[in-house]
Amino acid sequence: MPIGIAVLLFGVSFGLLARSVGMGRVAPIVMSATTFAGSAQFAAASILHAGGTAAAAILAAVLLNVRYAPISISVADLFGGAAPKRLVQSQLIVDESWALAARGGGRFDRDLLLGAGLLLYPCWVGGTALGVLGGGLLGDPARLGLDAAFPALFLALLVPQLAGRHALAAAVAAAAIALALVPVAPPGIPIVASSAACLIGWRRR
Amino acid sequence: MTRVWIAVVIIGAATVALKAAGPVLLGGRELPARVRALVGLLAPALLAALVVTQTLASDRHVVVDARLAGVAAAAATLRLRAPILVAVAVAAAVTAAIRAL
């Protein structure tokens, strides 16, 4: 799956960044294995590099990941069985697997969500390991334009979601909300606030 | 513990909890129809917000830089129905090329 390759490369670039900012060899890999959410990890690594405190890195990363609360609620009905099993399976939820599994109308494909998550997880963790260990061979991720590759991937995942007037309106409204809040709120908050654009669906129902 | 490990452990635990929130607390239960209608718009909304913030935001500033050209080029290739990986590669290549100028 092409997204797996992209995620592998992002994992490599996270590993490179983490290594270059002095996170050591083991911590970045542990972080990819437990956090498994690209943007928060990049943010945390950048803050630690800039001399920020652990608290600042934690706050930024957690704010960036708050979106997983509504995301995990949106797919909650797909998870059955005992609580520990649901806890483990829920860790396969990541932006990419969730977007791939979205079937429109608020329905999600369970097999696609878990299958894509299972594929992307080793790509992300393995890519991080490659980046940490092979560091220096590739150079600066920004010089390679990898920071533009992330939004391009999300754009590619967004396009199939734009079927219908409401979806398009929600996307435009969310983009506007996010952009308007960037100058006034810490990173992460604009993304969470943009989910208010979903209310378009409430009024018109 | 160093500040790196403190950050890694707490961020990891918080993310696990956030991802588990829905499945563990509400697992297996059907969402009400009205909530489902809203949830259906969550994917386009959050993805659009991720695209604009990652393209135009730099900390708390909105900036136009090489990323925008890269993402615009990716949008053009997607319009031509190019595969995802091609679009992602085009975005990186265009951005890198502009930075190298």
Side-chain angles (χ1 to χ4, degrees), chain B residues 11-93:
Chain B
I11 292 168
T15 307
V16 166
L18 284 164
K19 288 188 179 183
V24 169
L25 301 178
L26 306 170
R29 263 177 251 164
E30 274 283 310
L31 293 172
R34 296 199 73 163
V35 175
R36 184 163 295 285
L38 301 188
V39 159
L41 297 178
L42 197 57
L46 284 182
L47 288 168
L50 285 167
V51 171
V52 296
T53 53
Q54 295 192 353
T55 304
L56 295 168
S58 179
D59 263 322
R60 289 208 191 177
H61 302 281
V62 175
V63 292
V64 171
D65 59 20
R67 292 174 297 174
L68 182 60
V71 174
T77 63
L78 287 170
R79 200 158 180 99
L80 299 172
R81 304 193 175 278
I84 288 183
L85 206 55
V86 172
V88 171
V90 164

Side-chain angles (χ1 to χ4, degrees), chain A residues 177-198:
Chain A
I177 293 169
L179 215 48
L181 289 180
V182 162
V184 292
I189 291 294
I191 296 167
V192 177
S194 75
S195 58
C198 296

